[in-house]
Amino acid sequence: MSTYNIALLAGDGTGKEVTDEAVKVLKKTAEKYSFDLNFEPALIGGCAYDKYKNPLPEETLNIAKKSDAVLLGAVGDSKYDNLPAEVRPERALLGIRKELNLFANLRPAIVYPELTSVSPIKEEVVSGTDIMIIRELTGDVYFGEPKGIEIRNGEKFGYNNMCYYESEIRRIAHIAFNVAMKRRKKVCSVDKANVLDVSRLWREVVSDVAKEYPEIELNYMYVDNAAMQIIREPKQFDVLLTGNIFGDILSDEASMLAGSLGLLPSASLSESKIAMYEPIHGSAPDLKGRNIVNPIATILSGAMMLKYSFNMDNEYNAIVNAVRKTLKDGYRTQDIMQDGMKLVGTDKLGDIICSNI
Ligand code: IPM
Ligand code: MG
């Protein structure tokens, strides 16, 4: 029986509640499909700062590096808002992405038929939507230097640097084209090439890489237009290829097609075997400890782990189908609650999904 070691980084806020449910579902899947999962917990974010004065302790990084895959909940809490930037919880997330070289972030935005009426957008617009956002995750204005806040001309001046090396654009473009080859063979590359130099390079490099994929239909869209088109006609998109910050913004927007931020999973891949799986949402500290947060995004992130790290397509489908069956049977957390449906807590929803595996 194969055994996989998973670094379990629950993080802050509702991170523990959602990862608990994902672990439950993964264990049930492992039992059913005869493989073994070992979870090794480690601290990240505010909770790590509280203990070590460091949101990303060396020990956590080592556990992550030794593992076969990392499952992460979320980081951040308003109680850390006044900490210096270098030790804020979010810094740990950026740090682990960079340290593990997780440059390719896959964020599927799928509108399941069971939930089309939950979306704030009209049913006929969202139904059938299946977009894969490929977000570059280790570059851009998130990591660009120089950056800072200083005094210039007698007043405060804040700045960051939006920048990409050609090689960084090239490798994420390859990921997008390869993913698209297994889907509907369409890539829309998002940029702001009418204004930004870095975007002009982005477009030039993407079009060059595209020559190696003659079967792919490639188009380009300015990010402002893309934000509008995602709402107007989401079904036009197959793979959306973006830089770090545009992908951050557009993936939150795309979650509203599905109906809730609590539904979208993600996979962050590197060039080596190591990968990390996390919901696209944050730690939602206001929901913490109330057993009301939606665990589906994290449960589906666990499913993505089985598919992308361990090549377990059947097991991935088993989890997705169990989630869909649960929704079809009318079980809902508060964020996706509707008339006539059955409102359940975080742990109960996880239990029902397990029973449907
Ligand atoms: C995300 C989050 C993070 C990001 C934050 C928490 C640093 O919004 O994963 O989308 O901006 O990447
Ligand atoms: Mg985000």
Side-chain angles (χ1 to χ4, degrees):
M1 194 147 76
S2 332
T3 299
Y4 302 97
N5 294 311
I6 315 297
L8 180 61
L9 314 185
D12 305 316
T14 54
K16 177 158 189 327
E17 288 166 76
V18 293
T19 48
D20 277 353
E21 299 315 307
V23 167
K24 230 194 250 176
V25 171
L26 283 168
K27 282 186 172 160
K28 178 73 194 284
T29 311
E31 192 187 302
K32 170 113 189 237
Y33 287 86
S34 304
F35 61 95
D36 255 340
L37 294 174
N38 257 329
F39 291 92
E40 185 160 5
L43 297 177
I44 191 167
C47 58
Y49 176 82
D50 287 340
K51 183 150 180 213
Y52 300 103
K53 295 282 160 280
N54 176 359
L56 182 58
E58 203 58 40
E59 188 190 317
T60 298
L61 260 181
N62 287 337
I63 291 174
K65 283 179 180 163
K66 287 198 327 266
S67 72
D68 295 307
V70 181
L71 182 67
L72 184 131
V75 298
D77 193 310
S78 50
K79 80 177 201 219
Y80 306 107
D81 280 355
N82 295 323
L83 287 180
E86 323 78 69
V87 289
R88 281 184 60 117
E90 291 78 7
R91 191 52 75 86
L93 189 54
L94 303 190
I96 195 167
R97 288 171 178 171
K98 194 75 172 175
E99 281 285 332
L100 302 181
N101 198 16
L102 304 170
F103 71 94
N105 186 215
L106 277 50
R107 299 191 156 188
I110 301 173
V111 178
Y112 293 112
E114 295 77 16
L115 285 178
T116 43
S117 62
V118 174
S119 173
I121 319 289
K122 287 197 201 92
E123 254 185 274
E124 67 264 28
V125 173
V126 298
S127 79
T129 295
D130 177 357
I131 305 175
M132 178 64 93
I133 299 176
I134 308 275
R135 169 189 177 193
E136 200 289 329
L137 202 60
T138 51
D140 203 347
V141 67
Y142 273 66
F143 295 93
E145 303 270 354
K147 66 183 175 93
I149 303 175
E150 60 195 38
I151 302 293
R152 281 198 200 173
N153 303 321
E155 59 174 324
K156 282 188 188 161
F157 177 76
Y159 55 102
N160 287 88
N161 185 10
M162 188 181 247
C163 53
Y164 269 117
Y165 282 101
E166 181 183 345
S167 56
E168 293 175 303
I169 305 170
R170 212 167 266 287
R171 66 180 179 175
I172 194 70
H174 277 292
I175 299 276
F177 289 120
N178 280 316
V179 168
M181 283 304 287
K182 294 191 201 130
R183 294 172 48 99
R184 302 190 300 280
K185 300 196 170 65
K186 279 171 64 176
V187 173
C188 173
S189 174
V190 175
D191 61 43
K192 188 70 185 172
N194 50 346
V195 177
L196 303 173
D197 298 278
V198 58
S199 279
R200 277 203 292 283
L201 178 67
W202 180 276
R203 201 177 269 219
E204 180 188 315
V205 175
V206 170
S207 79
D208 191 47
V209 175
K211 292 179 191 142
E212 296 174 45
Y213 302 85
E215 281 179 63
I216 298 282
E217 184 193 321
L218 168 68
N219 71 326
Y220 307 95
M221 213 176 260
Y222 297 139
V223 62
D224 48 351
N225 185 27
M228 185 270 281
Q229 295 293 342
I230 284 174
I231 300 296
R232 195 186 74 88
E233 199 196 333
K235 276 175 279 204
Q236 71 184 285
F237 297 114
D238 177 15
V239 169
L240 263 176
L241 167 61
T242 77
N244 204 346
I245 193 146
F246 295 159
D248 177 46
I249 297 166
L250 295 182
S251 58
D252 266 35
E253 187 194 10
S255 76
M256 282 299 114
L257 304 170
S260 167
L261 198 50
L263 293 167
L264 262 54
S266 87
S268 305
L269 312 177
S270 66
E271 272 150 350
S272 68
K273 78 164 183 118
I274 191 80
M276 185 165 87
Y277 300 84
E278 53 168 318
I280 79 154
H281 63 70
S283 56
D286 49 320
L287 307 184
K288 183 184 172 179
R290 295 164 60 193
N291 196 28
I292 59 175
V293 67
N294 189 341
I296 290 180
T298 315
I299 290 170
L300 292 175
S301 300
M304 288 186 87
M305 171 190 295
L306 301 185
K307 179 182 171 110
Y308 289 95
S309 281
F310 311 140
N311 287 318
M312 297 180 179
D313 282 355
N314 292 336
E315 293 79 348
Y316 167 84
N317 288 328
I319 297 179
V320 171
N321 290 335
V323 168
R324 290 185 55 181
K325 165 99 169 63
T326 305
L327 295 170
K328 190 152 186 259
D329 292 343
Y331 296 102
R332 300 279 190 274
T333 40
Q334 41 80 38
D335 56 317
I336 50 173
M337 185 55 189
Q338 287 176 302
D339 281 353
M341 299 291 151
K342 293 167 266 202
L343 183 64
V344 293
T346 308
D347 55 355
K348 185 81 199 292
L349 195 78
D351 289 341
I352 301 168
I353 293 170
C354 276
S355 68
N356 285 329
I357 295 282

